Amino acid sequence: MTPQTAAQHPYVGMWVTADGRIRQELLANGRYDEARGARKSAYRGRYEVDANHIDYWDDTGFTADGEFVTPDELHHGGMIFFRQR
């Protein structure tokens, strides 16, 4: 399966840990912006989604990945994110 462009997948939007400390916004242009605590835009980069798998490439060269286990739950970096509605 080929990776989907950001505009083609249903995961665009804000994802937040249960405590609200980490907030990750998946933008429709294939970029993401992650805030940690009071530090806005702590990490930025691009991402691609292939089915339920997401790959991240941070602007500093760091790479990571994750899995959407449901349409509203993302497991990434040992953390669980929930879709913010």
Side-chain angles (χ1 to χ4, degrees):
M1 174 180 273
T2 59
Q4 297 170 293
T5 64
Q8 293 175 315
H9 74 77
Y11 302 123
V12 169
M14 185 64 74
W15 295 82
V16 182
T17 56
D19 62 5
R21 190 177 81 75
I22 302 174
R23 299 162 312 281
Q24 183 180 93
E25 185 173 12
L26 301 179
L27 304 167
N29 64 359
R31 302 276 300 165
Y32 73 90
D33 191 314
E34 184 174 302
R36 292 185 173 238
R39 188 173 167 209
K40 186 176 179 181
S41 298
Y43 299 99
R44 291 179 177 171
R46 68 181 181 88
Y47 71 93
E48 287 182 1
V49 173
D50 186 1
N52 293 329
H53 182 85
I54 184 169
D55 287 301
Y56 300 88
W57 293 271
D58 187 86
D59 289 343
T60 66
F62 178 80
T63 61
D65 66 350
E67 294 291 328
F68 294 95
V69 297
T70 73
D72 294 315
E73 187 175 323
L74 165 63
H75 291 198
H76 159 63
M79 298 173 283
I80 299 173
F81 290 81
F82 299 96
R83 182 187 300 274
Q84 185 176 34
R85 298 214 185 251

